[in-house]
Amino acid sequence: MSHSRAALLSRRGLLAAGGAVSLGALLTACGDKEAKGGSESGSGKKGPWSFKDDRGKTVKTDAVPTNIVAFTGTAAALYDYGIKVKGVFGPTKGKGGKPDVQAGDMDISKLEILGNTWGQFSVEKYAALAPEVLITDMWLKDALWYVPDESKDKILKLAPSVALWAAETTMPKALQRRADLAESLGADLKAKKVTDAKARFEKAAERLRQAAKAKPEIKVLIGSGSADLFYVTLAETAADTRYFEELGVEFVKPKVNAQGFFEELSWENVDKYDADIIMMDNRTSALQPADLDKSKPTWKKLPAVRAGQVIPRVTEPIYSYDKCAPILEDLAKAIEDAQKVAK
């Protein structure tokens, strides 16, 4: 997608689609900054550190970074490899102080939360952490996810940045890149926890492949709900669903708008596409099925909803094998158990 087209993207729509970015992020230009020195990392790995990110930029520091700040979902992936961060930005704390789904297994009470929603990022708190590296996702080339445009220049002056693709890639590649980064920071990829999780992921991928092969007639719709619109996402635009499609899952193919990621439907037209299973955006920014049951009569009339064949979609996966294996298992089970209910 060209940058001129990207500039037209709406924040609400892109967050709903799960495969795109907001206007602020789109305008974020990521410079190659001078690296700061670090100290011994929590893993015990020492010495000069370098890592080539998915922008093609190589970040170098005098020692393995220990003061790491990262987007919440990326931090959660690193945590699964034994790498802990000092601060996070992005959805971290939900209602009642409970961890957001993107926080994974991290103890959020021990993290400095620099911002919990889009547009929030405390530069003052960030500076106080003496950051040695900032790590986040990338949905479009050179756009740092959840780094606000209005403060990006100040933020990027304080530490070098690392960006890893969350789009324009597939789940296995995204997983490998987070594993590569974790290893560079001192993680042991041969640890039993890691190898067991990878084996589980590979088994789950094969299970999903076989489920899709056994029931090729089952069609899946990727949805996200807001008060006014229902978004139907094109599977190939996100790393997770692109991979599921490669494994043989049959997805509804919406007539996407000029942005290329999704089609917006009014709730009156929510039945435009037939689907046997609906995968619904599980993020706190989206309306959940329980909310829709109460507020959207047309939602309750959908065949998949009436049949109880609605499952969560982990729209922004935590890219560790430990967190991605259950996603594949859940989709495989949904297809295995699904009845053909669409026309």
Side-chain angles (χ1 to χ4, degrees):
M1 183 173 63
S2 71
H3 287 286
S4 60
R5 286 176 63 200
L8 299 174
L9 298 173
S10 70
R11 171 181 176 268
R12 182 65 191 95
L14 288 172
L15 287 175
V21 293
S22 70
L23 287 172
L26 288 168
L27 297 174
T28 303
C30 308
D32 203 3
K33 303 296 180 180
E34 288 293 320
K36 292 175 60 178
S39 56
E40 182 178 340
S41 74
S43 66
K45 187 173 181 178
K46 302 178 181 180
W49 177 78
S50 68
F51 184 82
K52 186 175 182 179
D53 76 358
D54 289 350
R55 297 169 296 180
K57 296 182 181 295
T58 299
V59 175
K60 297 180 180 181
T61 59
D62 294 336
V64 177
T66 182
N67 286 356
I68 302 169
V69 173
F71 170 67
T72 304
T74 312
L78 292 174
Y79 183 87
D80 285 346
Y81 293 106
I83 304 300
K84 297 180 180 180
V85 306
K86 295 293 181 66
V88 294
F89 54 95
T92 306
K93 184 182 293 186
K95 294 180 180 179
K98 294 182 179 180
D100 188 273
V101 292
Q102 295 187 60
D105 293 334
M106 296 188 295
D107 183 348
I108 63 173
S109 68
K110 296 181 180 179
L111 297 171
E112 184 70 68
I113 301 174
L114 307 180
N116 198 57
T117 61
W118 183 261
Q120 291 182 351
F121 193 115
S122 174
V123 180
E124 292 75 17
K125 289 182 179 180
Y126 181 56
L129 290 174
E132 294 163 351
V133 66
L134 180 147
I135 303 170
T136 190
D137 288 348
M138 181 170 62
W139 292 89
L140 286 180
K141 184 70 172 176
D142 297 335
L144 294 182
W145 190 229
Y146 268 81
V147 175
D149 181 60
E150 59 271 18
S151 54
K152 66 179 177 63
D153 291 339
K154 293 180 181 179
I155 293 167
L156 296 177
K157 285 180 181 178
L158 294 172
S161 61
V162 169
L164 298 178
W165 278 118
E168 300 191 25
T169 186
T170 64
M171 182 175 273
K173 291 179 181 178
L175 283 164
Q176 186 60 56
R177 291 297 286 147
R178 273 74 177 171
D180 291 341
L181 176 59
E183 184 175 39
S184 78
L185 293 167
D188 179 8
L189 299 189
K190 295 181 180 179
K192 187 175 187 302
K193 178 183 177 181
V194 177
T195 57
D196 284 353
K198 187 173 183 180
R200 180 184 174 186
F201 174 83
E202 292 170 347
K203 182 179 179 180
E206 183 57 29
R207 178 182 174 183
L208 180 55
R209 187 193 304 275
Q210 293 303 322
K213 183 178 180 179
K215 289 189 172 181
E217 73 279 6
I218 297 298
K219 186 167 288 190
V220 181
L221 182 147
I222 308 163
S224 182
S226 71
D228 300 319
L229 295 171
F230 182 69
Y231 299 88
V232 182
T233 297
L234 186 63
E236 65 190 50
T237 61
D240 58 333
T241 49
R242 176 187 286 189
Y243 181 52
F244 304 157
E245 197 167 44
E246 290 176 355
L247 291 174
V249 176
E250 183 69 22
F251 285 100
V252 167
K253 297 185 183 299
K255 295 180 180 179
V256 295
N257 57 24
Q259 300 164 0
F261 291 94
F262 53 84
E263 180 178 359
E264 304 114 318
L265 299 177
S266 68
W267 285 105
E268 289 75 19
N269 296 316
V270 72
D271 60 350
K272 179 176 179 179
Y273 295 106
D274 292 328
D276 303 292
I277 296 173
I278 300 176
M279 299 178 68
M280 284 296 288
D281 187 345
N282 76 330
R283 293 173 298 176
T284 53
S285 59
L287 292 179
Q288 299 305 303
D291 303 316
L292 300 175
D293 288 341
K294 298 175 183 177
S295 62
K296 304 297 180 185
T298 52
W299 162 259
K300 294 190 292 183
K301 294 180 181 179
L302 296 176
V305 176
R306 292 202 309 268
Q309 295 178 176
V310 178
I311 64 172
R313 180 201 174 195
V314 183
T315 307
E316 291 186 53
I318 295 169
Y319 283 114
S320 71
Y321 292 106
D322 182 71
K323 295 298 182 293
C324 286
I327 296 174
L328 272 67
E329 291 168 348
D330 290 346
L331 180 55
K333 185 176 188 305
I335 294 174
E336 291 164 355
D337 296 344
Q339 299 298 316
K340 182 67 180 175
V341 295
K343 295 177 182 179

